[in-house]
Amino acid sequence: MVTQITKGIKISVSTNFEGTYFKNYKLHYAFSYEITIENHSKDSVQLLSRHWEIFDSLNDLETVDGEGVIGKKPVLKPGETHTYSSGCLLSSPHGGMRGWFTMVNFTTTKNFRVIVPGFRLNAPYALN
């Protein structure tokens, strides 16, 4: 598990290899990840959007931007936590993700970025 705190918002990420499958005559490696967002600040905040950079060992890079996470824009009061699970496909057994969430602080009405620490996606059988 990796963690990072930005402006009082703690992000924790854990990952899991889910297996392989063929899609469009190509082998894909499926990974899931669980992200926990904890509000350690004194202000209420809301997650507005996400930005992901997804890369694999074949040097493929995919950038994904979108509103909220899994269709939600959670509001977190001080001390509250929000956890969600998602996943991605890679064309190789090794890769990783990094990114950020754009959030708004309800006290200051200002948007700010919360860094999601980079995390690895590795198929366990492919490691030496």
Side-chain angles (χ1 to χ4, degrees):
M1 178 180 292
V2 295
T3 62
Q4 183 160 339
I5 298 175
T6 307
K7 297 186 179 183
I9 308 301
K10 180 179 179 182
I11 306 294
S12 302
V13 184
S14 61
T15 63
N16 193 45
F17 175 65
E18 299 295 335
T20 59
Y21 72 97
F22 281 91
K23 177 181 175 185
N24 298 329
Y25 304 103
K26 185 176 177 186
L27 182 64
H28 292 273
Y29 299 84
F31 296 90
S32 64
Y33 56 89
E34 182 177 83
I35 296 188
T36 300
I37 306 165
E38 299 175 56
N39 185 356
H40 292 280
S41 77
K42 59 181 177 49
D43 301 318
S44 292
V45 298
Q46 182 176 20
L47 189 150
L48 301 175
S49 63
R50 69 189 181 286
H51 171 85
W52 288 117
E53 294 172 354
I54 306 165
F55 51 95
D56 66 31
S57 61
L58 297 176
N59 294 322
D60 291 334
L61 174 65
E62 179 182 3
T63 302
V64 176
D65 291 292
E67 289 191 17
V69 289
I70 62 167
K72 298 178 182 177
K73 293 183 179 180
V75 173
L76 293 115
K77 295 176 184 171
E80 288 187 336
T81 298
H82 177 78
T83 300
Y84 76 95
S85 297
S86 191
C88 71
L89 297 175
L90 298 181
S91 55
S92 75
H94 306 291
M97 292 175 64
R98 66 180 175 208
W100 65 78
F101 298 132
T102 300
M103 304 186 93
V104 62
N105 180 311
F106 286 149
T107 302
T108 65
T109 68
K110 294 189 181 201
N111 289 1
F112 64 101
R113 282 187 182 171
V114 173
I115 303 300
V116 177
F119 55 95
R120 294 182 179 165
L121 302 168
N122 291 309
Y125 65 83
L127 298 175
N128 289 345

